[in-house]
Amino acid sequence: MTDKKYQTFREFYPFYLSQHEDKTCRALHYIGSLLVIATMIYILVTGKALYLLLLPILGYGFAWVGHFFFEKNRPATFIYPWFSFLGDWVMLAEFITGRKLIEGSHS
C-alpha cells in the first residue's frame, strides 16, 4: 500500500491500476464485476431481492482472491473504499471498450 493520501479519483486511479498488474488478478476482478451485473439483472427480472446478499460476495470475493493469491498485495478497498469501488468499474469499462477513460491510466 502507499502512504500517499489521494484526494481525487483521477489521481488515485493510476495507483489503483498499479495494484492490479497481475493478469489473473484483473481477470478475477472482471469475473466478479460481470457476475454482479448478471445477478443484478436476474434480481430485476425475477424480483428475488434476497440475491442482493450475493453482490458483495461476488464483487469482493473474486477480487480479494486475486489480490491475496496472485497479486500478493492488500486491496486498496481497505484504505480507499469509494475510489476502489469506482476503480473496479472504470477498469472493467476500459477492458471492455479497449479505451482509456481516465487520462494517465495505462490499463
Side-chain angles (χ1 to χ4, degrees):
M1 196 52 68
T2 180
D3 291 329
K4 181 172 168 58
K5 301 292 183 222
Y6 297 100
Q7 301 299 314
T8 67
F9 178 72
R10 184 174 299 281
E11 67 180 5
F12 169 80
Y13 191 61
F15 166 73
Y16 174 87
L17 291 176
S18 78
Q19 301 300 293
H20 298 85
E21 292 180 346
D22 181 86
K23 290 181 182 184
T24 303
C25 180
R26 279 197 188 207
L28 288 166
H29 275 68
Y30 301 149
I31 291 166
S33 295
L34 292 169
L35 286 171
V36 164
I37 292 169
T39 303
M40 285 297 299
I41 293 168
Y42 178 79
I43 292 166
L44 291 170
V45 169
T46 65
K48 295 183 179 182
L50 188 59
Y51 283 89
L52 288 168
L53 297 173
L54 287 175
L55 298 180
I57 295 166
L58 294 170
Y60 289 111
F62 280 88
W64 290 357
V65 166
H67 283 285
F68 294 128
F69 294 103
F70 297 97
E71 194 74 54
K72 299 190 185 336
N73 63 14
R74 188 168 178 242
T77 300
F78 298 127
I79 306 288
Y80 295 98
W82 177 242
F83 286 167
S84 294
F85 177 78
L86 291 176
D88 288 343
W89 297 107
V90 171
M91 187 172 71
L92 177 64
E94 289 182 342
F95 172 72
I96 290 170
T97 65
R99 294 179 39 226
K100 287 191 237 180
L101 301 177
I102 304 293
E103 190 59 39
S105 68
H106 62 278
S107 61

